[in-house]
Amino acid sequence: MAKPVLKIEGLHVAIDGREIIRGLDLTVQGGEVHAIMGPNGTGKSTLAQALMGHPRYEVTGGSVTLDGEDILSMEVDERARAGLFLAMQYPSEVSGVKTSDFLRAAINARRGEGKEIPILQFIRKLDAAMKALEMPQEMAGRYLNEGFSGGEKKRNEILQMKMLEPRIAILDEIDSGLDIDAIRIVAEGVNSMLSEELGVLMITHYQRLLNYIRPHFVHVMMNGRIVKSGGPELAERLEAEGYDWLKEELGITFEQEDADTTVRQEA
Amino acid sequence: MTVTDFDVRHIHLFQAHQDNASEPTWVREKREAAFRLLDELPWPVFEKMNITDWPWFQFQPFVAGRPVANRDELPQAVQMILKTYNQQAPTVVLENGDLIWEENTAALKDQGVLLVDLKRALIDHEALVQRFLFQGITGDHDRLIALQKNDRLLALSDAFWNGGLFVYVPKGVRVAEPIQLMITAHGDGTGLLPRLIVAIEEDSELTFIEHRLSDEETTTVHNGVSEVFVGAGSRLRFVSVQAFGRKTYDHTRRYGTVGPNARLEWVFGEVGNAQGAALTVSNLVGEGGSADVKMVSIGHGSEHHHFDLRNRHAAPHTESDVLAKGILLGAARHIYHVVTKIEKGARGSNGEQTARLMMLSSEARGDANPILLIDEHDVKADHAASVGYVDESQLYYLMTRGLSRKEAERMLIFGFLEPVISEVPVESVQTYLYEAIERKFMQ
């Protein structure tokens, strides 16, 4: 299979009529890890949710293609079946739905009717993935995210990623609220999947995660645009010096302090 | 519809039945008294749903069932359902109230258990039946939850009841296999008016399953009354599946009388397509008794159904618990009216109830009315109720993993109902409920 390519061109996204993303261009290919950094409220999570197709996020301009296919015209589930994955910052808790049942249904939805994963193969795959993420076996029998700690939820997101084997994975602040051990486990989970068959778009507020998952490209987002791109050294400078030098360099006045946070809570 | 519209033909049929039936005098008198009262008695009140213009009186009474010589002669629909149930369990089929088939019942007789056509039981075991028939019916005159001791639909059953079943378990007998009952109707416009008695004496145990069905395209009026008695220290599980067709009007009454340290567990699977109103009353009359209700319902199309669940604590240290959950599709309407009443003197009692309805369509409508009536200080009581739409953020989350909206809804529905269905004590019934709900959801 050819390398996956996610191509974002001139993307504009609004929430409740207010424009949050204002012309964003980015291409993510298989084998690449991109990190998007930036202060709170600059539209990072909006980008993640808009790419996945959250109904509250209205794309008002631009195009997004995955392997040449227009994903903006697809439903959320079609995007997922095309190979897009979003590890969420705040995954829903779903009472009554067992994690393992859900995973199997999701895998089978991706594979299509008549090509369902044989049950033994599924169990072996699940066991291996859970072991790698140091998740106790009983978690597969628990209801999806219900009563999970913050760290358990993040691991469960990566577990789903391992099971679903996406072509493009968007990781939305998978490090938030995790201690160092948990970050290491989650990062190892992601690293173990890196290959030419997977492109990663990683959204993070802190440089810390980038010590564990090394990006090839670092982008800084402000006011709904990518304002600077570079290699890992850019992230290190941001960690050391903050964002002020960059704002000054680019002559940016900062707006929308809380827009992102508010919407994420509701989503 | 009023009683005066009641076809004059019914009066003749009623009289003819009275002349022909070999019923004991007290039963005949009960019929006649009820018949005379039909015009005067008030309709039963089902809060927020007007059932008085439903065709309760438009039926052909006293239509006999058709006995069969072997299982293969049973109606196809009955055979199909029987196949999903326990093949070794004692099983009885009632058509239009008449016992037309039984199997695996011999071993019960050795234990002294009676599983008899009610009309037959009135001949062979009159004194025993008289201890129970009509004895479990109670009224409650609390100003908030008026439940008359008698009303028009109850009297309609008293006057026109046509067959039924008498189940009796003697003292100290634990029945190993569940007793399975199929209740079915035959003939267009037939009135299905069975009476059911399930009485278990002290220190006994029974699981009883009734499965009620009617043809999808045949007009049927069901008016069924069950009286259930649980003796001291006994445990009765009463599982009832409603799988009536869409042209059936269903009026169901169940009255449970729970003795000291006895336990009555009701399980209701309301997965049929009928229009209906169902009232279930558990009277906790013995110290230390308990009643438990688990119910799932699913409504679609234009189905209207009222479910009235009442637990009345009339003795100290009694407990009740209700867990009811329903799914509403299309323009369906379900009402959960749950009443926990703790009488004065029922100290140390505990009544809990949870009623939740999930709607998947903006045209569906659900109501959950939790009511606690407490006349005693030293008690605990708790209620939780909710009516809401399926959670959009959960749907989104599942869809981001590749599940279609329909599949995601299906997962959420079963996730919502799972805590109730997993408590159903018989696995074959669990399976049946899951499949029936799935079918309705996919329609």
Side-chain angles (χ1 to χ4, degrees):
Chain A
M1 219 180 208
K3 265 208 263 187
V5 182
L6 178 74
K7 196 164 191 170
I8 307 166
E9 287 177 304
L11 186 68
H12 288 254
V13 180
I15 302 167
D16 300 332
R18 211 175 76 200
E19 192 162 64
I20 307 291
I21 294 185
R22 303 161 173 182
L24 187 141
D25 299 279
L26 181 66
T27 300
V28 179
Q29 301 198 55
E32 295 176 357
V33 176
H34 292 248
I36 293 196
M37 304 189 66
N40 271 334
T42 52
K44 302 189 300 291
S45 284
T46 299
L47 174 64
Q49 296 290 0
L51 290 175
M52 199 67 235
H54 191 292
R56 274 202 65 198
Y57 297 74
E58 189 196 351
V59 174
T60 52
S63 69
V64 182
T65 59
L66 175 59
D67 303 330
E69 299 268 342
D70 172 22
I71 64 161
L72 295 180
S73 63
M74 297 181 188
E75 295 295 327
V76 175
D77 54 313
E78 293 172 319
R79 298 181 196 201
R81 292 198 297 271
L84 197 63
F85 181 86
L86 170 60
M88 299 203 196
Q89 192 181 358
Y90 302 108
S92 290
E93 298 192 6
V94 188
S95 187
V97 176
K98 281 187 188 139
T99 303
S100 57
D101 292 345
F102 164 62
L103 280 169
R104 197 148 70 92
I107 287 176
N108 288 336
R110 182 109 192 263
R111 287 176 157 234
E113 227 172 287
K115 286 176 267 180
E116 287 87 356
I117 185 167
I119 184 84
L120 274 175
Q121 191 186 329
F122 170 77
I123 291 168
R124 272 198 293 271
K125 187 171 174 157
L126 181 61
D127 281 351
M130 292 189 78
K131 203 167 279 174
L133 290 164
E134 298 182 27
M135 295 168 80
Q137 207 122 51
E138 53 92 19
M139 275 180 81
R142 280 168 64 186
Y143 294 151
L144 187 57
N145 291 326
E146 193 184 55
F148 283 27
S149 70
E152 286 173 330
K153 283 181 184 166
K154 296 295 161 76
R155 275 186 225 197
N156 200 21
E157 291 295 286
I158 303 305
L159 175 71
Q160 293 173 40
M161 177 178 162
K162 280 177 95 74
M163 296 298 286
L164 292 172
E165 298 176 3
R167 291 171 62 72
I168 296 288
I170 306 161
L171 313 177
D172 189 6
E173 305 219 3
I174 52 160
D175 53 330
S176 70
L178 296 190
D179 61 30
I180 290 294
D181 283 338
I183 290 184
R184 181 185 49 76
I185 294 164
V186 164
E188 277 171 14
V190 175
N191 287 331
S192 69
M193 294 189 66
L194 295 178
S195 80
E196 294 291 296
E197 300 290 308
L198 173 69
V200 175
L201 181 59
M202 186 164 55
I203 288 164
T204 179
H205 193 58
Y206 300 105
Q207 199 266 341
R208 187 176 67 158
L209 178 64
L210 309 186
N211 296 332
Y212 297 91
I213 306 173
R214 294 297 289 172
H216 304 95
F217 305 95
V218 174
H219 312 277
V220 179
M221 230 178 128
M222 283 183 190
N223 290 350
R225 285 187 198 93
I226 289 174
V227 295
K228 193 164 185 76
S229 297
E233 74 289 344
L234 177 57
E236 279 154 27
R237 183 163 178 206
L238 290 172
E239 179 75 1
E241 301 177 30
Y243 290 99
D244 287 346
W245 64 273
L246 192 57
K247 288 181 195 167
E248 218 161 284
E249 187 183 301
L250 298 167
I252 288 172
T253 350
F254 200 62
E255 308 164 22
Q256 297 174 346
E257 195 49 54
D258 294 311
D260 238 19
T261 343
T262 327
V263 172
R264 266 184 277 135
Q265 301 282 8
E266 287 169 16
Chain B
M1 176 78 207
T2 62
V3 185
T4 43
D5 299 333
F6 202 21
D7 203 311
V8 68
R9 166 179 71 113
H10 290 76
I11 296 166
H12 297 313
L13 285 165
F14 180 77
Q15 281 158 352
H17 178 267
Q18 287 290 77
D19 293 342
N20 296 335
S22 52
E23 286 173 346
T25 315
W26 57 277
V27 176
R28 296 163 63 92
E29 284 172 358
K30 181 84 177 172
R31 284 192 192 274
E32 273 166 14
F35 188 77
R36 279 196 305 272
L37 284 171
L38 278 177
D39 252 333
E40 298 162 27
L41 285 167
W43 290 95
V45 175
F46 288 96
E47 291 283 337
K48 296 182 184 171
M49 195 173 278
N50 180 13
I51 60 152
T52 61
D53 54 357
W54 294 7
W56 299 116
F57 287 86
Q58 291 167 0
F59 62 85
Q60 180 74 18
F62 307 120
V63 181
R66 304 157 301 167
V68 297
N70 62 64
R71 206 191 216 210
D72 301 341
E73 293 171 20
L74 285 168
Q76 280 297 321
V78 175
Q79 288 190 44
M80 274 172 64
I81 288 166
L82 278 179
K83 274 179 199 146
T84 70
Y85 280 110
N86 187 331
Q87 302 303 305
Q88 274 73 52
T91 303
V92 167
V93 180
L94 294 182
E95 186 178 82
N96 299 352
D98 292 332
L99 195 156
I100 59 162
W101 175 250
E102 63 180 299
E103 60 190 31
N104 307 324
T105 52
L108 289 178
K109 287 170 188 143
D110 300 340
Q111 287 184 289
V113 175
L114 298 177
L115 185 56
V116 189
D117 184 314
L118 184 56
K119 283 183 279 188
R120 185 80 234 158
L122 278 171
I123 297 166
D124 295 350
H125 311 278
E126 183 185 340
L128 194 57
V129 176
Q130 195 167 10
R131 264 180 64 201
F132 302 110
L133 185 61
F134 311 125
Q135 301 309 306
I137 313 293
T138 52
D140 193 332
H141 293 286
D142 195 289
R143 67 199 157 82
L144 285 171
I145 52 157
L147 172 61
Q148 305 296 327
K149 176 103 194 239
N150 205 355
D151 58 60
R152 199 169 284 187
L153 291 183
L154 197 54
L156 188 61
S157 168
D158 287 345
F160 282 97
W161 69 271
N162 189 27
L165 195 66
F166 180 66
V167 183
Y168 176 80
V169 178
K171 183 177 172 180
V173 173
R174 285 166 206 280
V175 183
E177 297 282 2
I179 289 177
Q180 303 173 156
L181 166 66
M182 302 282 136
I183 292 180
T184 183
H186 171 70
D188 202 38
T190 296
L192 186 60
L193 289 86
R195 299 291 292 225
L196 179 63
I197 304 288
V198 180
I200 72 173
E201 299 280 16
E202 62 185 275
D203 297 321
S204 60
E205 197 170 320
L206 173 69
T207 298
F208 180 83
I209 305 168
E210 65 164 7
H211 192 112
R212 304 175 298 155
L213 68 156
S214 58
D215 194 77
E216 198 61 28
E217 296 303 328
T218 306
T219 306
T220 307
V221 176
H222 171 259
N223 187 345
V225 179
S226 300
E227 295 170 77
V228 163
F229 303 84
V230 193
S234 292
R235 182 181 191 187
L236 173 65
R237 294 178 171 123
F238 188 107
V239 180
S240 179
V241 175
Q242 182 263 115
F244 287 130
R246 66 188 183 92
K247 290 190 175 172
T248 296
Y249 287 86
D250 165 33
H251 172 245
T252 296
R253 291 286 180 98
R254 307 180 187 98
Y255 294 88
T257 305
V258 184
N261 300 313
R263 180 163 175 80
L264 172 56
E265 298 172 27
W266 302 104
V267 176
F268 305 137
E270 294 284 344
V271 296
N273 302 331
Q275 307 285 338
L279 168 71
T280 303
V281 181
S282 305
N283 284 304
L284 296 160
V285 296
E287 181 159 2
S290 65
D292 186 275
V293 181
K294 298 272 189 294
M295 179 170 88
V296 290
S297 70
I298 178 166
H300 75 355
S302 54
E303 288 161 30
H304 284 207
H305 226 123
H306 191 295
F307 303 101
D308 192 328
L309 304 169
R310 302 186 180 207
N311 288 312
R312 186 174 145 260
H313 297 250
H317 305 291
T318 46
E319 299 200 353
S320 68
D321 189 26
V322 176
L323 176 61
K325 285 189 167 192
I327 299 290
L328 293 170
L329 312 160
R333 171 143 169 71
H334 280 188
I335 295 172
Y336 284 7
H337 189 75
V338 190
V339 182
T340 304
K341 186 173 190 199
I342 303 183
E343 306 274 13
K344 188 148 190 62
R347 61 187 185 282
S349 291
N350 184 12
E352 298 191 14
Q353 46 161 291
T354 300
R356 299 194 191 283
L357 283 160
M358 186 197 275
M359 300 176 288
L360 278 91
S361 144
S362 57
E363 288 160 66
R365 216 176 122 203
D367 266 297
N369 314 323
I371 297 172
L372 298 178
L373 298 166
I374 317 286
D375 288 333
E376 172 61 51
H377 294 292
D378 174 26
V379 296
K380 282 192 278 184
D382 200 4
H383 67 79
S386 65
V387 178
Y389 291 103
V390 63
D391 186 318
E392 285 295 329
S393 60
Q394 290 182 340
L395 272 181
Y396 169 68
Y397 184 61
L398 299 187
M399 287 170 72
T400 65
R401 304 312 186 227
L403 300 179
S404 67
R405 190 178 177 89
K406 190 87 179 167
E407 276 177 281
E409 283 179 346
R410 184 183 160 280
M411 282 216 122
L412 292 181
I413 284 176
F414 282 115
F416 177 70
L417 299 178
E418 204 266 351
V420 191
I421 300 179
S422 64
E423 296 282 317
V424 174
V426 185
E427 210 179 312
S428 57
V429 177
Q430 284 190 15
T431 309
Y432 180 85
L433 291 178
Y434 276 123
E435 287 173 4
I437 291 164
E438 170 112 26
R439 271 197 302 278
K440 264 188 105 159
F441 173 65
M442 297 308 285
Q443 264 175 18

